[in-house]
Amino acid sequence: MKASTRDRLGSILMLAFVAALWAQRDYMTPFGGIFPDIVLEIMAGVLAVTLALSFTKYAAVKEAGEKKEEGGKTNWKDMAVVGGILLAWAVLLQFLGFALTGIVGFGSISWYLGGMPRDIKDIGRCVLIGIAIVVLMLVVFQHLLEVPLPPGKIFE
Amino acid sequence: MLEHLWMGLQNVLMVKNLLLIVAGTVSGMVMGALPGLTATMAVALLVPFTYAMNPASGLALLGAIYMGCVYGGAFSAILINTPGTPSSIGTTFDGYPMARQGRGEEAIVGATVGSAIGGIFGVIALIFLAPPLADIALRFGPAEYFWVGVFGLTIISSLSAGSFLKGVVGAMFGILVSTIGIAPIGGDVRFTFGSPAMQGGVDLIVILIGMFCIPEVLTIVSKGIGGHTAVEYHRTKGVLWETTKKVLVQRANLIRSCVIGTFIGILPGAGGNIANLVAYNEAKRASKTPEKFGTGHLEGVVATETANNAVVGGGIIPLVTLGIPGAPPDAVIYGVLMLQGLRPGPELFAERADITYTFMLALGAAALVMVPIGIYGGRLLTRFVAKLPVRYLVPGIGILTIIGSYAIRNNFTDVILMLGFGVVGYALRTLGFQAAPIVLGLILGPIMETGLVQAYLTGQGYSWPWLALFINPISWILIAMSILSFAWPYFGSLKQLFQKPEGLGSGNGE
């Protein structure tokens, strides 16, 4: 992505964030808004400058001085699958508990990232490693450190 | 004082206490290395173990855990680009690139030696400088804290690689996120979008884990190297002595970082999370090769790790002299002192000096114990992570991020928020906004807001209430420091403009 495009896209997204917070302003006391309002105003100003500069030489100069991005192509598919599994893991945590989501989450990511061709027999090994990791975490956190991990609503 | 020091030394050298210090340091290091478990949490988690102990042993154990935990954060910062504790944020900047270049062992050894030196310096300062330094910190009012925050923000000019404006925007984004929830003064509920779960605000650790771990996980996955390793490892002969020598010759960096860590530790509310970033910034500014920072430069790792361990001793100074905790884990130690029937403050030196000095010397002993354990344990860990295929490393980091974000408040929303901030962090990184200024804004936001609003309230008697921000001479010193700090990178550019171009071969360092 070009530096100027990044600047424009980044500035617009941040301006949307500022606008969303500005619309949420509903202070009950005169003190709650002093600090965030000042920051919102300054941020909007800085973003306006960044956006304006992205249409000038400034962005072009920066583009020339930029380092080339590391590595080759971005593997969006793998990223989406792993991100999706992590999201499902987080959402299901309170219902299925740490142990079950941990085993399934760990097992599925490690199996998926195992590379092509994906072997169905490999699932057993990934799940076994997942069980070992989850047991280790339960012993360390729940028993040694006494940090409670969620058992899951369906098991309560 | 010497008599009490001698008594404290005898206590520390008792076999039982030495074993407790070793156990505490090791446990602290393990907990520090786990993302989401902060030093405060680690110290708090192990408080129940001290109930049955005498005060000296209990405090020796807690001190060792604290010291070990702050150091342990460097392991995950270096190996998986995830600061184990907020005190190691700056360590990721150069530690992780070093690990990716196969220099993980060098980074671990550098962090270990720096941490030990910083830890010992902090303890020496604690023993000898406690009363006068605590007196200076006590003169800081709300306005001074606001300016301390502004001074901290000027670090952006150094942290924002690429675009300064984007660094400023990132810091403001962090500050605004820190204002979500109940206002520190007035109790207004702000920016919650109607969600009751957001009323408590967004926890710093949740954002830290999200913004540092998840983008890294996504980046590793996006490269499609599931069967390979994420971190390289090259066995280097003599890395221990070579790196130790490289660290010890950085005298100015070590002294500067020690002083920064100790001083920031003394300021109530400010801890290793700020000290490591300030020390990194100052090391970069003073370096002859600032362009190497962020690419895997040992000086950066040494600066951050020296400063964050110096905070441990520094933070105890106001605790034992004034009864004010310097850093959050000190608040837990404050509670333990009270539990043991000891009243933190000047009486501690007068009435139970033996216990006070045992505690101080135990911190020093923990800093020494860290060296052999950290070097050998850390190197083994480096080799392990380097051999771990990405297919196991990615879900391994995933499981730790989920536990880390959940365990802070036993809150499921935090886990979702962590992932959300992770995705936002990845998107922002792609758009050129770095995580470091955002995190800096998050840390300094609450300090600045409390200082600004309190100063405004105290200024109600003046014709212009904001005048309260400029009345104290300390404020002016801080303003001058902020301007200097902000403008410093531009002095370099101006100097280059006025310098004559050097001939070829003159700048090769020979």
Side-chain angles (χ1 to χ4, degrees), chain A residues 6-7 9-10 13-14 17 21 24 27-29 31-32 34-36 40 42-43 46-47 50 53 58 62 70 73-75 78-79 82 86-87 89-91 93-94 98 106 109-110 113-114 122 125-126 129 137 141 145 147-148 150, chain B residues 31 34 37 45 100 163 165-166 169 172-173 175-176 179 185-186 188 190-193 218 221-222 224 226-227 391-392 394-396 399-400 402-403 406-407 410 412 415-416 419 426 428 430-431 433 445 448-449 452-453 456-457 466:
Chain A
R6 279 208 310 248
D7 282 4
L9 201 58
L13 284 175
M14 283 290 190
F17 171 74
L21 291 196
Q24 280 278 306
Y27 311 123
M28 307 293 285
T29 72
F31 314 116
I34 294 177
F35 184 70
L40 282 168
I42 297 174
M43 189 169 167
V46 175
L47 283 168
T50 312
L53 285 174
Y58 172 79
K62 209 169 51 173
E70 280 179 51
K73 270 187 168 178
T74 304
N75 192 334
D78 282 2
M79 227 164 77
V82 171
L86 282 172
L87 183 66
W89 190 346
V91 171
L93 185 67
Q94 62 174 317
F98 171 74
F106 189 100
I109 293 177
S110 59
L113 292 178
D122 200 27
R125 191 172 63 171
C126 294
I129 294 172
M137 292 294 152
F141 282 90
L145 300 173
V147 175
Chain B
M31 281 192 266
L34 297 174
L37 280 181
L45 280 173
R100 291 188 69 176
S163 167
L165 283 176
K166 280 187 176 175
V169 171
M172 290 192 171
F173 174 78
I175 290 175
L176 287 173
T179 63
I185 296 164
D188 273 294
R190 304 175 302 192
F191 313 133
T192 60
F193 294 88
L218 295 177
V221 172
S222 73
R391 62 181 300 199
Y392 299 124
V394 166
I399 212 164
L400 283 175
I402 286 176
I403 295 176
Y406 172 79
N410 292 350
F412 294 104
V415 183
I416 310 278
L419 276 180
Y426 183 81
L428 290 179
T430 311
L431 293 171
F433 295 97
M448 289 175 72
E449 176 166 17
L452 183 85
V453 181
Y456 178 79
L457 289 173
W466 297 112

Side-chain angles (χ1 to χ4, degrees), chain B residues 4 260 323 451:
Chain B
H4 295 306
I260 289 171

Side-chain angles (χ1 to χ4, degrees), chain B residues 426-452:
Chain B
Y426 183 81
L428 290 179
R429 191 156 91 173
T430 311
L431 293 171
F433 295 97
Q434 301 299 319
I438 298 174
V439 169
L440 189 70
L442 274 163
I443 293 169
L444 295 174
I447 297 172
M448 289 175 72
E449 176 166 17
T450 311
L452 183 85

Side-chain angles (χ1 to χ4, degrees), chain B residues 281-479:
Chain B
N281 178 56
E282 295 311 313
K284 187 177 175 181
R285 268 208 292 229
S287 174
K288 286 175 187 164
T289 52
E291 71 285 351
K292 284 187 182 173
F293 278 72
T295 61
H297 197 37
L298 186 64
E299 269 183 55
V301 175
V302 172
T304 56
E305 285 304 310
T306 306
N308 66 20
N309 275 83
V311 165
V312 177
I316 307 243
I317 291 173
L319 179 76
V320 295
T321 54
L322 304 161
I324 301 168
D330 301 323
V332 182
I333 293 171
Y334 180 98
V336 173
L337 285 167
M338 297 289 277
L339 266 174
Q340 297 278 8
L342 303 165
R343 193 184 167 82
E347 302 96 83
L348 211 55
F349 282 94
E351 291 163 17
R352 300 304 302 268
D354 53 333
I355 293 172
T356 312
Y357 281 101
T358 303
F359 176 46
M360 292 177 178
L361 291 170
L363 287 171
L368 288 174
V369 165
M370 273 172 1
V371 177
I373 298 172
I375 283 175
Y376 290 102
R379 287 163 79 194
L380 281 177
L381 205 64
T382 313
R383 286 170 205 177
F384 173 72
V385 172
K387 283 179 185 164
L388 199 63
V390 161
R391 62 181 300 199
Y392 299 124
L393 183 69
V394 166
I397 297 173
I399 212 164
L400 283 175
T401 56
I402 286 176
I403 295 176
S405 51
Y406 172 79
I408 297 160
R409 300 190 289 193
N410 292 350
N411 188 345
F412 294 104
T413 313
D414 283 346
V415 183
I416 310 278
L417 275 175
M418 179 274 294
L419 276 180
F421 274 103
V423 175
V424 169
Y426 183 81
L428 290 179
R429 191 156 91 173
T430 311
L431 293 171
F433 295 97
Q434 301 299 319
I438 298 174
V439 169
L440 189 70
L442 274 163
I443 293 169
L444 295 174
I447 297 172
M448 289 175 72
E449 176 166 17
T450 311
L452 183 85
V453 181
Q454 280 182 346
Y456 178 79
L457 289 173
T458 55
Q460 290 299 315
Y462 303 114
S463 53
W464 190 55
W466 297 112
L467 210 60
L469 285 170
F470 306 96
I471 283 178
N472 198 325
I474 300 175
S475 294
W476 281 104
I477 294 171
L478 288 165
I479 292 168

Side-chain angles (χ1 to χ4, degrees), chain A residues 70-150:
Chain A
E70 280 179 51
K73 270 187 168 178
T74 304
N75 192 334
W76 292 104
K77 188 188 154 204
D78 282 2
M79 227 164 77
V81 171
V82 171
I85 296 173
L86 282 172
L87 183 66
W89 190 346
V91 171
L92 294 172
L93 185 67
Q94 62 174 317
F95 305 106
L96 302 179
F98 171 74
L100 192 57
T101 52
I103 294 166
V104 176
F106 189 100
S108 51
I109 293 177
S110 59
W111 178 72
Y112 181 78
L113 292 178
M116 300 296 273
R118 286 192 182 88
D119 185 359
I120 207 82
K121 287 176 199 161
D122 200 27
I123 293 177
R125 191 172 63 171
C126 294
V127 168
L128 276 178
I129 294 172
I131 292 172
I133 299 283
V134 165
V135 169
L136 179 73
M137 292 294 152
L138 282 170
V139 170
V140 171
F141 282 90
Q142 197 124 318
H143 298 286
L144 291 177
L145 300 173
E146 296 188 1
V147 175
L149 296 174

